[in-house]
Each structure stands twice: as structure tokens, then as C-alpha cells.
Amino acid sequence: MQMRECKLVLFIFSICFFIRGYWPDVYAESTEDTEDPAYRQKLGHVIEEKEEDFPYELDSYVRYMPSRGARSQAGKVAVTDSASEFSYDFKAFGKLPVEFAAGTRYIGIHNTTGVKLPARLTQVSAGVETTLPFFFDKTYFTLGAAPSFYTDNWNLNSASFRIPQRYFFIYQPDQKWIFICGVGVFPGFEDVVEPILGFIYKPDSRLTFNIVPSRPEITYAVNDKLTLLLEAEMSADEFEVGKDNLKNVVLEYNETHLGMGFKYQVNKYIQTSVSAGCIFNRSIKYRDENLGKVGIKNGLYTELRLDISV
């Protein structure tokens, strides 16, 4: 299964580079009268408009969810979720934007319920993504793959290996609107295919509606330094963990949060953000629910993000 996934990803990327090599006029015509699309992956975003030409970026966050009681059982659960991603982008053939990324994620779980849960969930991933001009005016096609390990203690075993992929079209009719449509493919997960639908709307230079998976946000730039934000995010992740004498058991981590805060541009290279709000639809459960399930009551969260671009 994993070998077939690798071959599929390589085949699709080969087709894209074939198109780039044998129909260069298509590429040239699509970018002749307009600027190259400034799109890049960013941790938690399907698409991000890139305002500055910084090839290196480090994006990190720490999110703390204080202890809350479990539903329908005794005990409480507290969660700390943190992640970092380093990315590098360049232009292949002098035109084709390509981005490489590597990242980690750590979910610390303090659990006092009767269900045995891992003390930590971990993810290690790498990825490559590119955006190609499509055959229609102002239309682009983005594809990416992120080979990853999803486990419970930095244990990079073959059973926890997955290759999430995403393929979506970008249509930018003018400077105010961007529309995206496509699918995310998650081999080995319970939900193998998920739709990718969204838009970015910038009615003016201050206000932006970035309504895209998996972290939509609305921002308002007060000035060059300070930006107010309203954000949401939904996590529906799966990890291969050990439980008692069982190995490679699938554990699902689910939560949705909605909050507000601000971003602050420290200088040209560093941006920080602080947000807080409500967290709900929370559960940590084994795919085989006979092994246990913990539904967590709604609560609050706080989050700190750091973005460094050079």
C-alpha cells in the first residue's frame, strides 16, 4: 500500500514537470501579463498569500487547553498542542514555485480518566508542494504530498507512516478574490478523501477574509504593526499508538476551536500572534471504541504563534 502511494505521488509530479517542460508556452502566456502567484503552504493553512519574497520560514505555535472534566465518566483531561514547521521555497526552471517543508507536532495529554491514553502524541513530517499555471486564464493547480509518521512517542515505525496529499485548483479573477476547490487524500485514515473548498476575499488593504481549510481566519490591519484576528480551526487527526499489549492501535484526536486575538509585526522578519477562545467538539478515542473513548467538556484555550521569515 505504501509503495503504491509513493508511485502515485511520483507519477503525478512527473506529469506536472512534463507539462512544464513540453508546453512552456502555456506557462509563459499565463504569467506574461500578470505577476507570478504568491502562494505558499503555511502550517495549518491550505493556501497562504505570500507578501514578501522570503525563501525560508519557520512557523511555530503552542496551544494550551486547561484541564476539563470528561463526559459521562470521572476524571479530567488537559492538553498542550504544539508544532513547528520549517519551509524553503524556490523557483524550478526559473518559473515553477516549489516548496519543501519539514515539521513536527507534539500533543501532550494529562489524563485522570479510567481510559488509558498515551501521555503524548507525536508527528514527524516532510513535504513538497508546487503550483502550476493551468490551461485557463488566472487559474492554477496546486499539488503536494507530505510523508509523515503519526505515533505516540516519536517512534517512527512503518505502521505509522502515511502520505497525506492534496490537489486543488486556484482561481484568481482579480486582486480581491481567490477561490480554491479540490480534495485532500489521506491513505490509511478513516476518512480517505476530504473536500477542499474555500476563498480569500480582500475588499481593501486592511480587511481579509481567509476562509480556507483547515484554519480559516478574518483579519483587520489596524496599522503596519498590529492586526486583529478572528480564527477557527478543526483537528481530526489519527495516530498509531500502543495500548497495553496491543501495538499499532489507531487513536483519534478531535477538537474544534474558535477565538480572537491579534498579530504583531515585530520587524520585517518576525511576526507573533496571541489568541484565546472556546474549544468544543472534543474527544480522544480509539477507532475501535471497545478500547475506550473520552469525550471532553467544552472549555477555553490560549495560543501563542511565532513566524520568522528570512
Side-chain angles (χ1 to χ4, degrees), residues 13 47 115 258 306 310:
F13 272 92
I47 180 175
V115 178
L258 176 66
L306 175 66
V310 294

Side-chain angles (χ1 to χ4, degrees), residues 46-61:
V46 164
I47 180 175
E48 179 79 8
E49 288 189 283
K50 183 183 173 187
E51 297 180 358
E52 298 283 352
D53 187 21
F54 295 130
Y56 301 96
E57 183 168 3
L58 176 65
D59 186 24
S60 302
Y61 73 81

Side-chain angles (χ1 to χ4, degrees), residues 9 50 163 216:
V9 173
K50 183 183 173 187
I163 307 181

Side-chain angles (χ1 to χ4, degrees), residues 9-245:
V9 173
L10 291 174
F11 173 76
I12 294 173
F13 272 92
S14 298
I15 291 295
C16 292
F17 280 94
F18 175 83
I19 292 174
R20 170 64 184 93
Y22 283 85
W23 284 290
D25 292 341
V26 173
Y27 198 106
E29 290 172 4
S30 66
T31 57
E32 183 177 1
D33 299 323
T34 60
E35 295 181 358
D36 289 345
Y39 305 133
R40 74 178 299 164
Q41 175 182 331
K42 189 170 177 144
L43 196 152
H45 273 130
V46 164
I47 180 175
E48 179 79 8
E49 288 189 283
K50 183 183 173 187
E51 297 180 358
E52 298 283 352
D53 187 21
F54 295 130
Y56 301 96
E57 183 168 3
L58 176 65
D59 186 24
S60 302
Y61 73 81
V62 177
R63 184 183 307 132
Y64 176 62
M65 293 152 274
S67 180
R68 292 290 293 162
R71 293 191 180 95
S72 304
Q73 58 183 295
K76 296 183 176 182
V77 179
V79 177
T80 301
D81 184 356
S82 63
S84 293
E85 180 182 81
F86 173 78
S87 59
Y88 168 65
D89 68 318
F90 67 96
K91 293 289 183 69
F93 312 107
K95 284 287 186 180
L96 182 66
V98 177
E99 181 181 78
F100 290 101
T104 61
R105 186 182 181 191
Y106 176 93
I107 301 175
I109 302 173
H110 180 68
N111 170 44
T112 62
T113 72
V115 178
K116 185 177 180 181
L117 298 174
R120 63 192 66 82
L121 301 173
T122 57
Q123 176 184 344
V124 177
S125 60
V128 60
E129 187 166 277
T130 185
T131 300
L132 302 124
F134 203 61
F135 296 100
F136 304 105
D137 185 38
K138 301 178 181 179
T139 305
Y140 306 89
F141 180 60
T142 293
L143 70 161
S148 305
F149 293 91
Y150 300 87
T151 184
D152 58 347
N153 194 25
W154 307 111
N155 182 17
L156 309 185
N157 59 71
S158 59
S160 66
F161 182 68
R162 304 285 189 274
I163 307 181
Q165 304 146 43
R166 57 190 189 185
Y167 311 96
F168 57 89
F169 291 96
I170 303 168
Y171 176 59
Q172 186 173 5
D174 52 45
Q175 295 300 312
K176 291 186 177 182
W177 286 97
I178 299 174
F179 299 94
I180 69 168
C181 178
V183 295
V185 182
F186 305 92
F189 285 74
E190 186 171 22
D191 296 321
V192 178
V193 179
E194 293 182 357
I196 297 175
L197 295 170
F199 65 89
I200 300 174
Y201 175 53
K202 299 184 70 171
D204 53 50
S205 60
R206 293 181 180 271
L207 184 62
T208 301
F209 296 84
N210 198 332
I211 311 302
V212 296
S214 61
R215 192 164 62 91
E217 64 179 21
I218 301 172
T219 59
Y220 179 78
V222 178
N223 51 46
D224 292 340
K225 291 283 190 179
L226 181 64
T227 299
L228 305 180
L229 70 90
L230 177 66
E231 65 174 10
E233 186 172 4
M234 182 180 71
S235 294
D237 302 301
E238 297 183 8
F239 300 83
E240 296 268 349
V241 305
K243 185 179 189 295
D244 299 326
N245 61 339

